[in-house]
Amino acid sequence: TLTLAGDAPGCALASAQIEAARTAVRGELQVLARELIASLQYYQSRSGSLDIAELIVTGGGLQLAGASEELAQMIGVPVRVADPLGRVAVGAKVTRPADPGALAIAVGLGIDR
């Protein structure tokens, strides 16, 4: 129930615990942001590189409400959480997982070129 965007409704933690958790998450997002900025700067320093319009991310940590917005603010590039099943026909008997981002690698490996 933790969120980086506003209140955490239904959270059983004390407000000091919530803020400590948010601080820890933001600290890790800053580490990720520094790595992404270094990679983006390297890419853009190469001749013929294109402008970066958007960053598409996946992973369980970025399912946290407000995380992609915080990351976008840190790196200065719009960030969108990917949906690996967005263009995949899922059978009627298949239950869509709560965190489809966990399937990104499996879907990528299953793509037939």
Side-chain angles (χ1 to χ4, degrees), residues 35-78:
E35 293 293 325
L36 288 171
I37 289 169
S39 294
L40 295 173
Q41 287 174 340
Y42 173 77
Y43 169 76
Q44 290 192 313
S45 72
R46 315 236 347 144
S47 66
S49 66
L50 301 173
D51 289 338
I52 298 169
E54 176 181 49
L55 205 62
I56 301 172
V57 296
T58 188
L62 289 159
Q63 299 298 318
L64 180 66
S68 61
E69 293 83 1
E70 292 252 350
L71 187 59
Q73 186 176 27
M74 291 175 185
I75 63 174
V77 175

Side-chain angles (χ1 to χ4, degrees), residues 19 22-23 29 32 43 47 54 57 64 69 71 74 87-88 95 101 107:
E19 282 311 309
R22 285 181 177 152
T23 299
L29 280 175
L32 176 60
Y43 169 76
S47 66
E54 176 181 49
V57 296
L64 180 66
E69 293 83 1
L71 187 59
M74 291 175 185
R87 298 174 123 184
V88 174
T95 304
V107 170

